[in-house]
Structure formats: C-alpha cells, structure tokens
Amino acid sequence: MKETSSFELFTVGISKEPVTTAGGLKIVPDICVNEMDEEQAAALLLIRPDT
C-alpha cells in the first residue's frame, strides 16, 4: 500500500500584492514573509517576477 503524507502549500511574498512573471503568470501570495513560520517550512522557493 502506498504511503501518503500531508502538507500545506502557501505562496509567500514581500507583500500580498500580485506578482506577474515575464511570461504573464499572475501569482497572489497567500501570506507575507513576516507571517511565515520558518520552523514549519519544509522548503522555500525564491522566484523573481522577471522569470
């Protein structure tokens, strides 16, 4: 039987303002960096708006 794990995915930004990438993808952060609990984060991806 296949094991499953559970996790929550959040988008994090400097602010909660939408960020539009060069390719036109608009991402609206769920929370701000100062609201993030680093102790609970399993991974952090930093993506620039010009990518």
Side-chain angles (χ1 to χ4, degrees), residues 20-25 49-51:
T20 304
T21 67
L25 177 65
D50 61 350
T51 59

Side-chain angles (χ1 to χ4, degrees), residues 26-50:
K26 186 179 284 191
I27 301 170
V28 180
D30 295 312
I31 61 174
C32 295
V33 172
N34 61 353
E35 298 173 310
M36 189 176 87
D37 182 358
E38 298 88 5
E39 298 292 322
Q40 297 294 317
L44 178 62
L45 303 174
L46 303 173
I47 302 173
R48 299 179 353 189
D50 61 350

